Amino acid sequence: MGRPAKFTHSQLQAAALALVDREGLAGLSMRALAGELGTGAMTLYNYVSQREDIDLLVVEAVIGEARWPLAGYAQWQDEVRAIATALWQAVRAHPHAIPLILTRRSRSPAVFEVTEALLRALARSGRSGPALLVAFRAVSGLITGLAQSELAGPLALQAEESAELTIARFRALPAERFAHLIDIANAAAGSTADGEFRASLDLLLAGLSADRGGER
Amino acid sequence: MGRPAKFTHSQLQAAALALVDREGLAGLSMRALAGELGTGAMTLYNYVSQREDIDLLVVEAVIGEARWPLAGYAQWQDEVRAIATALWQAVRAHPHAIPLILTRRSRSPAVFEVTEALLRALARSGRSGPALLVAFRAVSGLITGLAQSELAGPLALQAEESAELTIARFRALPAERFAHLIDIANAAAGSTADGEFRASLDLLLAGLSADRGGER
DNA sequence: ACCTGAACACCGTTCAAGT
DNA sequence: ACCTGAACACCGTTCAAGT
């Protein structure tokens, strides 16, 4: 409850995110962050109670970067698309932070704000209660799930290898046993993450538009 | 290339998964896994080249548990649902392992097999190439995304608190500013993860059924 | 060929002490 | 009230040596 003076919350946040962007997740230690701030490791414990709080600072910083036009959407689908895309782009701008965004519970204001905004847009489809919950689960699941599939799915690029090499690896699989895997690996060679995101989101929006969430 | 004799690959896998299930992710260290196997830490380096390979053993073990009827699906939607649900249940049976499944690239045979099976089912919708890739991204994204949202989304339960307490926390938010968040928190109180999964998947399947992936 | 203990360079965190 | 170094109990991994 006492409020320390040497650093602000957003100074810690910015330093932690800068460290992750620069050095990767493995570089984010209490000692390294303290060094980034020009102090000793133990000083950080005046601001956070445990190491995991540092991860939450990073998540908050990334999600907090999402920006989208607040009004002027003729259709709720356009508004959902705008918010989802803003989140997607904020996450993709900090690839090293993705594992944290996937695994850390954040209850920061920035996360609440964007969640409520997405819900508001989805509610324009006529949904509330359980149907709104499901729509939200599906859309937010798709956003993080697509970030995940790029990071760690079977088609994810190896950290140190080119896209060509990853695809070549698939082409080397037994052709008839993994015919479809080889097919989509080839397709992936000619597609972009943004394009795949947009198309996947459109599939889900088609489903959300077809079933307007009638009462149940 | 030499093949060590003291332990088999699946012995390591089983021991690692048992350790994670029992002690949580923090309990999975080289030393602890070696202890589980009754040997010294350095012995493990005869089987894996680095610590992260242990994580991959766990991912492989979990995904490898997915089981579903291999044939007899009148509709491709039913087959997609069966495979997706099998994956979902395998993941949910090992909640401590979820962060690894979200963040670790696995290229094990078990992962390839289930991926190809899912693709085969999706291909029955008439899709191939880019459209099949997008359908796959959407479905697998949704599966892992929903596991993620339970683990770390804004509505995720705190490790040490009851569902009631989590929901009470949302009810305490400013009512008009977070009206929809409070609405779905209330809805979450009366729903199950399985139900939400099924309903979200159905939304996406509706989208996949509406747009049969015409050529492009 | 396979196994393994000692040692090194890290971690997060407790504790006690500074101002 | 806020700050911080020393020390502790861990890590993953290198190295050198065992059989």
Side-chain angles (χ1 to χ4, degrees):
Chain A
M1 293 298 125
R3 62 206 101 80
K6 208 174 173 190
F7 304 109
T8 66
H9 182 79
S10 69
Q11 273 179 310
L12 290 220
Q13 226 181 255
L17 183 55
L19 190 56
V20 169
D21 283 343
R22 181 155 39 86
E23 315 269 355
L25 269 190
L28 183 65
S29 70
M30 299 297 275
R31 284 169 169 89
L33 179 57
E36 185 90 2
L37 290 161
T39 186
M42 292 318 300
T43 299
L44 297 178
Y45 284 91
N46 292 304
Y47 302 86
V48 297
S49 67
Q50 44 173 341
R51 163 56 221 259
E52 203 186 318
D53 295 346
I54 304 289
D55 291 345
L56 292 178
L57 285 177
V58 175
V59 173
E60 189 184 357
V62 172
I63 301 296
E65 281 184 4
R67 292 285 180 278
W68 65 96
L70 292 180
Y73 300 99
Q75 307 234 312
W76 62 267
Q77 288 91 339
D78 298 328
E79 188 168 2
V80 169
R81 212 181 333 254
I83 299 169
T85 304
L87 274 168
W88 165 255
Q89 282 168 349
V91 169
R92 279 177 55 76
H94 304 279
H96 285 145
I98 292 180
L100 299 184
I101 291 157
L102 292 173
T103 60
R104 295 310 193 257
R105 274 180 282 269
S106 175
R107 248 165 270 86
S108 75
V111 172
F112 280 0
E113 294 290 354
V114 68
T115 300
E116 180 69 16
L118 182 58
L119 288 168
R120 210 177 293 128
L122 286 168
R124 286 178 63 195
S125 72
R127 289 175 167 83
S128 68
L132 182 60
L133 172 63
V134 165
F136 167 73
R137 292 278 198 214
V139 173
S140 64
L142 194 70
I143 297 167
T144 54
L146 283 173
Q148 186 275 344
S149 78
E150 264 190 283
L151 173 77
L155 265 68
L157 303 181
Q158 283 282 69
E160 298 87 2
E161 74 181 23
S162 67
E164 290 73 29
L165 201 63
T166 297
I167 288 153
R169 186 204 304 288
F170 280 91
R171 290 197 180 118
L173 288 174
E176 70 276 22
R177 198 156 148 226
F178 294 106
H180 298 101
L181 204 40
I182 292 164
D183 180 27
I184 64 168
N186 283 322
S191 81
T192 65
D194 278 347
E196 292 174 23
F197 173 75
R198 202 178 352 256
S200 302
L201 184 60
D202 282 346
L203 278 177
L204 181 57
L205 283 170
L208 285 164
S209 302
D211 165 37
R212 287 298 173 88
E215 329 22 48
R216 63 171 185 104
Chain B
M1 297 300 123
R3 61 205 102 80
K6 208 175 172 190
F7 305 109
T8 65
H9 182 78
S10 70
Q11 271 178 311
L12 291 220
Q13 226 180 255
L17 182 56
L19 190 56
V20 170
D21 283 343
R22 182 156 37 85
E23 315 269 354
L25 269 190
L28 184 66
S29 71
M30 299 297 275
R31 284 169 169 89
L33 179 56
E36 185 90 2
L37 291 161
T39 186
M42 292 319 299
T43 300
L44 297 178
Y45 284 91
N46 292 303
Y47 302 86
V48 298
S49 68
Q50 42 172 343
R51 163 53 220 259
E52 204 186 319
D53 295 346
I54 304 291
D55 292 344
L56 293 179
L57 284 177
V58 174
V59 173
E60 189 184 356
V62 172
I63 302 296
E65 282 185 3
R67 292 286 180 278
W68 65 95
L70 293 180
Y73 300 98
Q75 308 234 312
W76 62 267
Q77 288 92 339
D78 298 328
E79 188 168 2
V80 170
R81 212 180 333 253
I83 299 169
T85 303
L87 273 168
W88 164 254
Q89 281 168 349
V91 170
R92 279 177 55 76
H94 302 280
H96 285 146
I98 292 179
L100 299 184
I101 292 157
L102 292 172
T103 60
R104 297 309 194 257
R105 278 178 280 268
S106 175
R107 248 163 271 85
S108 74
V111 172
F112 279 0
E113 294 290 354
V114 67
T115 300
E116 180 69 16
L118 182 57
L119 288 168
R120 210 176 293 128
L122 285 168
R124 288 178 63 195
S125 72
R127 289 177 167 83
S128 67
L132 182 60
L133 172 64
V134 164
F136 167 73
R137 291 277 198 216
V139 173
S140 64
L142 194 69
I143 297 168
T144 54
L146 283 173
Q148 186 276 344
S149 78
E150 264 191 283
L151 172 77
L155 265 67
L157 303 181
Q158 284 282 71
E160 297 86 4
E161 74 182 24
S162 67
E164 289 73 30
L165 201 63
T166 298
I167 287 153
R169 186 204 305 288
F170 280 92
R171 290 196 179 121
L173 289 174
E176 69 276 21
R177 200 157 147 223
F178 294 106
H180 298 101
L181 204 41
I182 293 164
D183 180 28
I184 64 167
N186 284 322
S191 81
T192 66
D194 278 347
E196 292 173 24
F197 174 74
R198 201 177 357 254
S200 303
L201 184 59
D202 282 346
L203 278 177
L204 180 57
L205 283 170
L208 285 164
S209 302
D211 165 36
R212 287 298 171 89
E215 343 2 62
R216 63 175 185 102

